[in-house]
Amino acid sequence: MAILDILKLPDPRLKQVSESVASFDQVLRDFIADLEETRLAGPSAVGIAAPQVAHFQRIVILDLSGRPKTPNHGHLVLINPEITHWKGFAMGREGCLSVPDYTGNVIRATQIRLKAQDADGVEHQYEMEGFEARAVQHELDHLDGLLFVDRVVSRRTDLHRRKVYK
């Protein structure tokens, strides 16, 4: 396993749209292991998407198991994910490994229905709400070449320099 380099804004590759995964093989499983190790090496990252490490396939890892008071499905590997339904909207603060110096207020759906495949190619359906729904939407944006800074309503009022604690 390896810790992969994270692409950071303004790297133009972050705008690239990712391709669907077609082969569910050992190469994919090895990449997922490297992506997970990279996520764990980041500062409290609950999610990571393959394009953040210059791998342009539709792969996301999300792990909210460390948030027991937040409704969640635990550790998820989502391949070829697609939101099939969404409901409600709310503003919330987001940060990103690819935009390490800023956080921003972004409007997202509060409830979603998602279908995705696992590392073996088996399709699953998920109902998500709250923070988990927000985190999935954030990571899925990476697959389409979007960052949270592309979704802030106003860069003047909704984009904030991240606080650094010493």
Side-chain angles (χ1 to χ4, degrees):
M1 291 192 304
I3 296 174
L4 307 170
D5 291 333
I6 303 252
L7 300 181
K8 293 183 176 61
L9 194 67
D11 193 310
R13 294 174 290 175
L14 288 166
K15 296 294 185 185
Q16 187 171 326
V17 175
S18 295
E19 299 291 326
S20 295
V21 172
S23 295
F24 294 82
D25 55 13
Q26 190 57 47
V27 173
L28 175 65
R29 285 186 281 285
D30 291 345
F31 172 72
I32 290 169
D34 290 345
L35 190 61
E36 175 66 1
E37 188 168 346
T38 304
R39 182 189 71 81
L40 292 171
S44 66
V46 297
I48 191 167
Q52 291 180 273
V53 296
H55 187 93
F56 299 99
Q57 286 189 298
R58 301 185 76 77
I59 303 167
V60 164
I61 297 175
L62 189 71
D63 187 3
L64 274 69
S65 62
R67 295 174 168 250
K69 294 182 180 177
T70 300
N72 71 82
H73 291 87
H75 185 273
L76 296 172
V77 174
L78 304 171
I79 301 174
N80 300 326
E82 180 184 341
I83 295 173
T84 59
H85 181 77
W86 57 90
K87 185 166 102 173
F89 293 96
M91 178 89 74
R93 183 72 63 97
E94 298 183 13
C96 183
L97 294 172
S98 293
V99 189
D101 297 330
Y102 291 89
T103 62
N105 297 324
V106 178
I107 297 171
R108 301 270 188 199
T110 56
Q111 297 175 1
I112 63 169
R113 186 175 306 125
L114 177 80
K115 70 176 182 179
Q117 293 167 283
D118 62 22
D120 296 317
V122 177
E123 187 172 291
H124 300 273
Q125 303 271 342
Y126 302 96
E127 301 274 340
M128 299 177 171
E129 64 181 334
F131 183 73
E132 184 178 42
R134 174 173 296 279
V136 165
Q137 291 169 82
H138 174 107
E139 298 306 334
L140 266 58
D141 273 354
H142 285 293
L143 306 180
D144 294 321
L146 294 170
L147 298 170
F148 79 87
V149 295
D150 299 317
R151 292 205 182 267
V152 295
V153 175
S154 166
R155 289 189 182 207
R156 187 174 56 79
T157 60
D158 292 323
L159 196 59
H160 309 280
R161 184 165 283 285
R162 190 181 290 271
K163 291 181 176 145
V164 178
Y165 300 98
K166 296 180 182 185

